[in-house]
Amino acid sequence: MALDAADLGALVAEAAEILDAAAKPFIAGHRADSAVQKKGNDFATEVDLAIERQVVEALTDKTGIGVHGEEFGGADIDSPLVWVLDPIDGTFNYAAGSPMAAILLGLVRDGEPVAGLTWVPFTGERLTAVVGEPLRYNGEERPALKPAKLDDSIIGVSTFNVDSRGDVPGRYRLAVIENLSRRCSRMRMHGATGIDLAYTAAGILGGAISFSGHVWDHAAGVALVRSAGGVVTDLSGNDWTVKSPSALVGAPGTHGELLDLLRSVGVTEDF
């Protein structure tokens, strides 16, 4: 679908109003209990479900574009144009009362994020982006990310169980953190992947490592980081797509150093 920057900007403005409305029940439902048990020890709250229904209905009505959400699925992620929604990124944080929880919304065209919105309601942060245009932080344009060094950066790392198996075993993740600790004593585990990506785009973090392959965790943040002039790949260094099994984001320079560090750890099959 042919959309220029002005079209995408108008869609982001419409979506921003919808997320502003969703932020009200988001704040009101803080510390919500588990409602739906998911795979492993993951869960969704009633607020997750309610916000997804609210945002999906509003986006579909106002923009005419289908939505793929974390809780209910919906439009095919391979659609020519689709919104990708995580109604509450950091559900454990949200249920526990931590402010590190967000609403993530990306607009994906032909498999590539072209716009992104990340709302962190408890801190009042709103990040928006159209790829190819400057990142906006609370409505203000931000300058492009400057090259940085890993030794001087704060790095976000996703949480994990060291005994977990699967595509990215826990022992591999531990080895990554062990090696990273020798280069960077400023690691952070926010427990909210979307916030890690958004904070990288904003220059708060120098980079972030996500071992997850969930598109709703990444779509919005990928657009934000690319808009900010950062670098986005998977953990192997391949260009990130909606099918990627992981995400590695960073400022110029920092991303390359992180990728070198990951390669020095070895391949996941060895763990």
Side-chain angles (χ1 to χ4, degrees), residues 104-188:
L104 313 178
L105 182 64
L107 183 61
V108 173
R109 179 173 61 193
D110 297 327
E112 292 290 335
V114 291
L117 303 92
T118 296
W119 260 225
V120 191
F122 300 117
T123 61
E125 293 168 295
R126 302 160 76 249
L127 294 93
T128 61
V130 170
V131 173
E133 300 289 322
L135 174 77
R136 289 184 175 271
Y137 184 94
N138 288 344
E140 298 293 327
E141 287 189 7
R142 296 294 292 263
L145 294 172
K146 296 179 180 179
K149 295 182 178 180
L150 177 57
D151 294 355
D152 301 326
S153 300
I154 303 174
I155 303 299
V157 182
S158 54
T159 56
F160 67 99
N161 175 348
V162 71
D163 293 323
S164 66
R165 302 301 302 167
D167 294 336
V168 187
R171 295 290 170 182
Y172 170 83
R173 304 181 192 205
L174 182 61
V176 169
I177 290 174
E178 179 183 354
N179 281 267
L180 184 57
S181 73
R182 296 189 176 102
R183 295 287 311 278
C184 169
S185 60
R186 303 177 181 88
M187 288 179 286
R188 298 291 183 268

Side-chain angles (χ1 to χ4, degrees), residues 5-204:
D7 295 326
L8 292 171
L11 287 170
V12 167
E14 192 74 65
E17 293 185 7
I18 291 168
L19 294 195
D20 282 344
K24 296 176 182 178
F26 186 102
I27 291 172
H30 209 197
R31 292 184 178 272
D33 293 330
S34 168
V36 177
Q37 197 68 26
K38 297 174 7 180
K39 184 178 180 181
N41 64 352
D42 198 7
F43 65 87
T45 69
E46 287 288 359
V47 185
D48 283 277
L49 308 181
I51 288 178
E52 183 159 320
R53 292 188 189 100
Q54 176 180 330
V55 173
V56 168
E57 181 179 357
L59 284 171
T60 304
D61 179 56
K62 298 292 186 180
T63 72
I65 299 169
V67 185
H68 181 92
E70 176 183 3
E71 307 305 339
F72 298 114
D76 194 323
I77 197 65
D78 292 323
S79 302
L81 194 63
V82 59
W83 294 106
V84 179
L85 170 68
D86 186 346
I88 301 181
D89 172 50
T91 305
F92 281 92
N93 292 346
Y94 184 82
S98 166
M100 289 288 95
I103 307 174
L104 313 178
L105 182 64
L107 183 61
V108 173
R109 179 173 61 193
D110 297 327
E112 292 290 335
V114 291
L117 303 92
T118 296
W119 260 225
V120 191
F122 300 117
T123 61
E125 293 168 295
R126 302 160 76 249
L127 294 93
T128 61
V130 170
V131 173
E133 300 289 322
L135 174 77
R136 289 184 175 271
Y137 184 94
N138 288 344
E140 298 293 327
E141 287 189 7
R142 296 294 292 263
L145 294 172
K146 296 179 180 179
K149 295 182 178 180
L150 177 57
D151 294 355
D152 301 326
S153 300
I154 303 174
I155 303 299
V157 182
S158 54
T159 56
F160 67 99
N161 175 348
V162 71
D163 293 323
S164 66
R165 302 301 302 167
D167 294 336
V168 187
R171 295 290 170 182
Y172 170 83
R173 304 181 192 205
L174 182 61
V176 169
I177 290 174
E178 179 183 354
N179 281 267
L180 184 57
S181 73
R182 296 189 176 102
R183 295 287 311 278
C184 169
S185 60
R186 303 177 181 88
M187 288 179 286
R188 298 291 183 268
M189 282 189 178
H190 294 119
T193 300
I195 290 178
D196 282 348
L197 270 61
Y199 279 7
T200 299
I204 298 168

Side-chain angles (χ1 to χ4, degrees), residues 147-150 231 251-258:
K149 295 182 178 180
L150 177 57
V231 184
T254 302
H255 178 278
E257 291 187 78
L258 283 171

